Amino acid sequence: MKKLLVTGGAGFIGANFVHYWMKKYPKDKVVVIDALTYAGNFSNLASVQNNENFNFVHGDICDQPLVESLLTEHDIDTLVHFAAESHVDRSITGPDAFIETNIMGTYSLLKAAKIVWLDSVQADNEQPKNHRFHHVSTDEVYGTLSATDPAFTEETAYAPNSPYSASKAASDHLVRAYHHTYGLNVTTSNCSNNYGPYHFPEKLIPLVITNILHEKSLPIYGDGQQIRDWLYVEDHAYGIDLVLNKGRIGENYNIGGNNEWANIDIVKEISLLVEQEFQKDSNLAKRFPKALSAIAQNTKSLITYVQDRPGHDRRYAIDATKTNNELGYQPKESFKTGIAKTVQWYLNNENWWQSVMDGSYQDWIKSQYSN
Ligand code: NAD
Ligand code: TYD
């Protein structure tokens, strides 16, 4: 039985990970620490909030004494670190928060983990107890590929290009150094682009789905030929599960979907899928009267080419051979099934994304601090 501290568990991947973990390992204890920034949503954890093995702590990972007290009070043996500023566009307009949370926040967690898991027991002359610090990173630390370059392996030299990827690369290096220098039991996973339920609608896939339903334009940066490798979010959780249970200490593991798509093609594919859903279910036209599908017009006409992102990485592709061979990892979801589930989730959970758009998703946090 594990006792987990999950940082950033109210965000997109963190919340999906908590759902995955509590379903698969119902006896494990899970504590989430989340600052509930704009990307955090308390309702993402609604289904586990009443579970006696679950605790939510509203807090900042930069608050080292708080993290130390959580590690001690809950006797945590496994820290899974998702908390981050995660949107490349925001990192271009405002990098400060990325340096603070992604670098300083990771450093704060490492210091807390070292004090509680290593230093305190050494002072008592005891053997360090079993512990694991798992750091969730991204393929973006490897930089960009041309159309013909081989995919990123764990040996690919880091070459981050955006303030986001540079801050993640810095945090990866700190995690590595805490293992090499102090003997902290760490693992790191570098994953490709995720998609699925609870994805904040500033990112490409949920933005496109929700814009289609509102007859808003579908912005394509530059020529739309940039390539991303898309993985269903539950398969990311499954990959982390394998790393936690079978991964070797001090190692990095790539997790990917072997599923490369040019942005323009994925936007066209989603447009088609939404149109098909409207054809199957006449009720959708009543629920989303603004959608072009509701008046039998072509959704693709919403596609609008806009100015490119500065420094836009051309292509990401993950070679997950090591993770596949060593841990037996294979994604369970194909892109066809994963994207169909995702479109369905957004059609069925309008309340969730409307509350993000109108800001009411932050009511819980406001209510905690009023008066
Ligand atoms: P997200 O932006 O949806 O969620 C981040 C969460 O972290 C939010 O709940 C936010 O409130 C919380 N948070 C932010 N700053 C915090 C702080 N200082 N203290 C405590 N909590 C804080 O991000 P995501 O897409 O779920 O990504 C999670 C992790 O996975 C990140 O580390 C990201 O780099 C990595 N990752 C993401 C992707 C992807 O496609 N989204 C791919 C690979 C790796
Ligand atoms: P995004 O979802 O922001 O993820 P990342 O930048 O981490 O890969 O973007 C995915 C791709 O889609 C990326 O190449 C940028 C592009 N993009 C658009 O073309 N239009 C948009 O409105 C957004 C948000 C992204």
Side-chain angles (χ1 to χ4, degrees):
M1 201 190 85
K2 290 191 198 310
K3 295 172 191 156
L4 278 72
L5 179 62
V6 178
T7 74
F12 163 48
I13 307 175
N16 278 286
F17 175 81
V18 170
H19 297 153
Y20 168 95
W21 197 273
M22 297 199 72
K23 192 168 167 208
K24 183 158 178 197
Y25 304 104
K27 293 195 172 136
D28 285 5
K29 304 236 181 280
V30 174
V31 180
V32 164
I33 177 173
D34 198 299
L36 296 178
T37 66
Y38 82 92
N41 187 335
F42 189 61
S43 77
N44 290 358
L45 296 167
S47 66
V48 294
Q49 272 155 24
N50 294 327
N51 187 315
E52 59 180 10
N53 286 333
F54 177 79
N55 275 286
F56 181 81
V57 178
H58 178 228
D60 192 321
I61 56 166
C62 296
D63 185 346
Q64 188 190 328
L66 172 65
V67 177
E68 280 177 41
S69 72
L70 294 177
L71 292 174
T72 308
E73 267 168 39
H74 295 277
D75 195 23
I76 299 293
D77 49 42
T78 306
L79 190 155
V80 189
H81 176 31
F82 293 95
E85 289 292 332
S86 69
H87 190 39
V88 174
D89 291 331
R90 286 181 188 253
S91 85
I92 295 168
T93 51
D96 286 4
F98 289 71
I99 305 305
E100 188 60 23
T101 288
N102 300 3
I103 304 179
M104 297 308 291
T106 303
Y107 178 48
S108 152
L109 293 174
L110 288 164
K111 284 193 288 180
K114 176 176 174 290
I115 286 172
V116 174
W117 283 335
L118 300 181
D119 298 351
S120 58
V121 287
Q122 270 164 22
D124 294 340
N125 261 345
E126 285 172 27
Q127 285 287 71
K129 66 172 204 160
N130 265 347
H131 66 270
R132 176 71 68 87
F133 187 111
H134 181 74
H135 178 54
V136 179
S137 192
T138 162
D139 59 359
E140 303 194 25
V141 297
Y142 299 121
T144 185
L145 296 168
S146 74
T148 52
D149 282 334
F152 304 127
T153 72
E154 291 81 355
E155 304 304 317
T156 304
Y158 275 30
N161 287 320
S162 71
Y164 164 65
S165 53
S167 66
K168 291 296 292 185
S171 65
D172 293 11
H173 290 321
L174 283 169
V175 171
R176 176 189 157 87
Y178 263 67
H179 170 64
H180 192 79
T181 305
Y182 304 113
L184 195 69
N185 290 344
V186 309
T187 40
T188 295
S189 48
N190 296 84
C191 190
S192 59
N193 283 59
N194 286 212
Y195 67 96
Y198 305 105
H199 204 179
F200 198 83
E202 65 182 352
K203 305 277 173 74
L204 182 69
I205 288 185
L207 179 89
V208 165
I209 299 172
T210 52
N211 278 11
I212 289 173
L213 298 174
H214 278 159
E215 203 208 340
K216 286 192 190 153
S217 69
L218 310 179
I220 305 288
Y221 298 167
D223 64 4
Q225 293 302 328
Q226 302 83 7
I227 291 173
R228 298 292 181 265
D229 175 4
W230 292 97
L231 181 74
Y232 190 63
V233 63
E234 232 175 73
D235 279 325
H236 188 181
Y238 170 52
I240 294 171
D241 178 4
L242 290 181
V243 175
L244 286 174
N245 282 304
K246 294 162 115 184
R248 284 180 293 139
I249 302 298
E251 294 289 316
N252 280 52
Y253 292 92
N254 279 355
I255 302 176
N258 210 7
N259 177 43
E260 292 181 45
W261 283 79
N263 292 339
I264 184 65
D265 294 336
I266 215 161
V267 171
K268 287 182 180 166
E269 180 73 13
I270 293 169
S271 303
L272 191 69
L273 278 172
V274 175
E275 281 175 358
Q276 287 169 352
E277 289 305 320
F278 272 73
Q279 281 158 13
K280 279 192 262 170
D281 179 358
S282 58
N283 208 25
L284 288 176
K286 292 184 200 126
R287 286 178 56 211
F288 304 107
K290 284 190 169 169
L292 290 183
S293 293
I295 48 170
Q297 282 187 16
N298 189 344
T299 303
K300 288 203 275 291
S301 64
L302 295 173
I303 290 174
T304 310
Y305 287 89
V306 300
Q307 195 179 7
D308 206 354
R309 171 188 280 173
H312 198 169
D313 284 339
R314 196 68 182 165
R315 173 176 167 240
Y316 302 141
I318 278 274
D319 178 340
T321 306
K322 174 180 171 184
T323 313
N324 301 346
N325 288 350
E326 232 181 78
L327 310 181
Y329 177 74
Q330 280 300 335
K332 295 187 176 185
E333 210 70 60
S334 70
F335 187 65
K336 193 170 182 301
T337 58
I339 195 70
K341 275 188 185 179
T342 304
V343 167
Q344 268 308 332
W345 190 87
Y346 280 86
L347 290 172
N348 294 339
N349 290 276
E350 187 189 353
N351 286 348
W352 181 87
W353 50 267
Q354 290 289 13
S355 77
V356 171
M357 285 172 180
D358 68 22
S360 59
Y361 76 113
Q362 290 183 318
D363 286 353
W364 179 84
I365 184 72
K366 286 183 198 142
S367 72
Q368 300 299 300
Y369 296 93
S370 56
N371 305 321

